[in-house]
Amino acid sequence: MAAGGYVVALDVGTSSVRAILHDLRARPVPGVEVHLPHTPRLRQDGTAEADADALANLAERALTEVLRLAGSKRAARIEGAGVSSFWHGLVAADDSARALTPVYLWSDSRSSEATEKLRGRLDAELVRWLSFADLLYWRWFGRLGTSLSMASGTGLFRLADRQWDDDLSKQLRLKPASLPPIGNVEQGLTDEFRRRWPPLADVPWQLPVGDGALANLGSGCITPTRRALTIGTSGALRVLHREPRGPLPAGLWCYRLDADRLVTGGALSNGGNLHAWLAATLRLSDGLEGKLRRLAPAAHGLTFLPHLAGERSLGYAPHAFGAIAGLTSATAPEAIAQAGLEAVAIECAAINRRLDEVVPRASRLVASGAALLSSRAWLQMMADAIGRPVAAGRSREASSRGAAIFAIEGLGLGDPTRMDPGVGRVFKPRPAASRAYRKAEARQEALYKALIGDRILDTAAASPRSAAKR
């Protein structure tokens, strides 16, 4: 391997695709970054999907453009490639890697209705069920495969022996051939893509890894003493560890980064998407941040359920919806926005307490995700609600950086423990604000139970709808 080389990181998210060139210390190369936004189709009936071909074209365009920006000299020194992908998505493909359906995203809540429609449209003997990242790799390398990380996020995977769950697949009437084989590294693009990306033709490519696990890696949260708090389009709070921790508390999940490392956490369907909705609907895009900083915590008299896109952790209620109680003619738009963002922080606090049952108490949470890092007011709400210091991560693109680190580590060119990006400002919890948020949490939970149903918060209890995947 040449000294002073580079790796390319491709990050496919639900609202954008990024390609970034990193050096072998996982530092982004200035000016060699491509960001291509895309907008999923969202409808009132619960639709949340993307066009598979259009999204694939964006990913390919991003790689083409980042190689152009790198220039011939730097491109010739690229040692490998890493790929980060949104974890929970589904697309059907035929035996020629042609997409037969849109990419159904994690926030799509039409599953029962969609199942019946698909049964009539597709021949189950010929269909492959894949993540979008699996489809990309099939097209680019001419071979079908998925990583341990992507497989572990499907619900069809056994963590213990790292294999597809045959019994569950039978219950779902899925034949083994419908699922991609589990692999590790690919090398050797198809002729079409060798011509398109000569610098990437023969370098090792890591199979795509779930963006959540890579966000921990990219933000330096690689031991149980640090937890990664990510608020992008959605949200999550996760901890990386090496040994299984036994049965999980209700509402949490455990997936894999790779064969040696697991990631345990909880995920929110509502994060930056809620922030964007509040700003647009209340017409508060100008000056919202300043107004939020001046407002006293939870002093608005509102109780807000933030489940506009349904609910994952902790209740796993796809039928959940948003609601606001306590409105009066004196309620100001900024108070509604404050209540919504506080509600997300309160949800994160509940997940954090569950994580305390799984791993030792974390000394710090490290924030990532553009939505959260762009709001100091929201960062302070998180610290106050969770009751722990929250540090602003220095890496604004933690999943992309994690993909670069994963590739560097896989090539044997670097140690993740020596690539901690550090943190910026640390937001410390304020006792009076923390007390106010605990009271607000009780009101939020009462409204949830009244409108949506009981969510299991007793740590000794569990239910089928919120049980973690073992």
Side-chain angles (χ1 to χ4, degrees):
M1 298 293 181
Y6 301 97
V7 294
V8 169
L10 176 69
D11 184 7
V12 181
T14 55
S15 59
S16 68
V17 176
R18 290 178 171 84
I20 304 174
L21 189 69
H22 293 76
D23 66 19
L24 297 186
R25 293 179 62 185
R27 297 175 301 192
V29 177
V32 191
E33 174 177 347
V34 179
H35 175 208
L36 302 176
H38 68 90
T39 303
R41 290 190 291 266
L42 305 176
R43 299 193 185 102
Q44 190 67 34
D45 65 354
T47 295
E49 62 187 29
D51 182 282
D53 292 327
L55 192 54
N57 287 339
L58 279 184
E60 292 160 10
R61 188 175 134 205
L63 285 172
T64 299
E65 182 64 12
V66 84
L67 291 175
R68 184 190 70 79
L69 292 173
S72 58
K73 290 184 178 179
R74 284 185 295 209
R77 292 157 57 197
I78 292 174
E79 309 282 6
V83 182
S84 167
S85 173
F86 55 87
W87 230 326
H88 309 294
L90 187 67
V91 60
D94 64 16
D95 281 341
S96 62
R98 181 174 62 94
L100 300 174
T101 67
V103 182
Y104 300 111
L105 302 175
W106 52 263
S107 53
D108 198 300
S109 58
R110 302 168 298 159
S111 56
S112 58
E113 180 183 352
T115 299
E116 295 303 319
K117 289 182 178 180
L118 289 172
R119 187 172 295 154
R121 286 172 49 197
L122 304 179
D123 184 343
E125 296 293 328
L126 303 177
V127 169
R128 297 274 193 168
W129 292 102
L130 312 169
S131 74
F132 174 70
D134 300 337
L135 183 63
L136 279 185
Y137 257 63
W138 193 1
R139 291 181 175 185
W140 294 353
F141 290 91
R143 296 181 295 280
L144 186 58
T146 193
S147 67
L148 283 171
S149 178
M150 295 303 296
S152 71
T154 63
L156 296 169
F157 179 81
R158 295 194 303 263
L159 284 178
D161 61 3
R162 307 170 197 161
Q163 298 294 327
W164 294 117
D165 191 319
D166 293 335
D167 292 338
L168 183 54
S169 295
K170 288 178 183 177
Q171 290 293 324
L172 297 173
R173 290 184 284 178
L174 278 175
K175 294 191 174 183
S178 296
L179 300 172
I182 298 170
N184 291 305
V185 179
E186 290 289 348
Q187 190 164 348
L189 294 163
T190 65
D191 289 344
E192 175 188 353
F193 290 101
R194 291 174 71 87
R195 290 191 297 269
R196 190 179 298 191
W197 306 321
L200 303 179
D202 295 310
V203 302
W205 286 65
Q206 300 293 327
L207 282 165
V209 173
D211 54 2
L214 291 176
N216 276 62
L217 199 62
S219 59
C221 296
I222 59 176
T223 68
T225 61
R226 285 190 174 191
R227 296 175 188 170
L229 172 62
T230 303
I231 304 290
T233 302
S234 57
L237 182 58
R238 304 168 303 269
V239 62
L240 201 62
H241 54 97
R242 289 189 175 271
E243 298 298 328
R245 299 285 173 157
L248 296 178
L252 299 185
W253 40 256
C254 182
Y255 305 137
R256 282 197 173 273
L257 169 62
D258 54 23
D260 300 317
R261 292 168 290 190
L262 301 103
V263 58
T264 297
L268 306 177
S269 296
N270 304 274
N273 51 0
L274 177 64
H275 187 289
W277 180 86
L278 288 165
T281 304
L282 301 171
R283 300 181 181 179
L284 285 171
S285 56
D286 294 331
L288 175 58
E289 177 70 11
K291 292 176 181 177
L292 291 174
R293 292 186 199 177
R294 294 191 293 271
L295 296 173
H300 38 64
L302 302 176
T303 302
F304 197 119
L305 293 185
H307 308 301
L308 273 65
E311 182 192 21
R312 287 188 282 174
S313 303
L314 291 166
Y316 283 97
H319 65 282
F321 51 83
I324 307 172
L327 291 168
T328 72
S329 58
T331 302
E334 56 267 26
I336 298 174
Q338 178 192 14
L341 299 182
E342 288 174 337
V344 174
I346 286 169
E347 296 287 314
C348 291
I351 293 171
N352 192 67
R353 290 197 299 274
R354 290 293 177 85
L355 283 174
D356 284 343
E357 303 172 41
V358 179
V359 293
R361 181 181 172 92
S363 58
R364 176 178 291 176
L365 281 66
V366 178
S368 64
L372 186 55
L373 291 179
S374 63
S375 174
R376 295 166 76 181
W378 207 3
L379 283 162
Q380 185 62 59
M381 290 176 194
M382 289 289 183
D384 291 335
I386 296 170
R388 304 274 178 87
V390 174
R394 290 194 184 279
S395 176
R396 296 191 68 84
E397 303 297 341
S399 293
S400 297
R401 185 174 186 273
I405 292 174
F406 197 69
I408 292 167
E409 182 185 31
L411 290 166
L413 297 178
D415 179 355
T417 63
R418 299 185 178 183
M419 298 182 197
D420 189 336
V423 297
R425 178 175 172 178
V426 177
F427 295 80
K428 297 181 179 179
R430 301 168 298 181
S434 296
R435 290 191 295 270
Y437 286 138
R438 292 306 293 268
K439 292 179 181 178
E441 182 174 6
R443 296 192 297 271
Q444 192 166 317
E445 183 59 27
L447 183 61
Y448 180 98
K449 289 181 178 179
L451 296 182
I452 297 172
D454 289 341
R455 176 171 56 183
I456 304 300
L457 287 179
D458 180 354
T459 57
S463 69
R465 67 176 178 143
S466 61
K469 298 177 179 68
R470 301 308 196 263

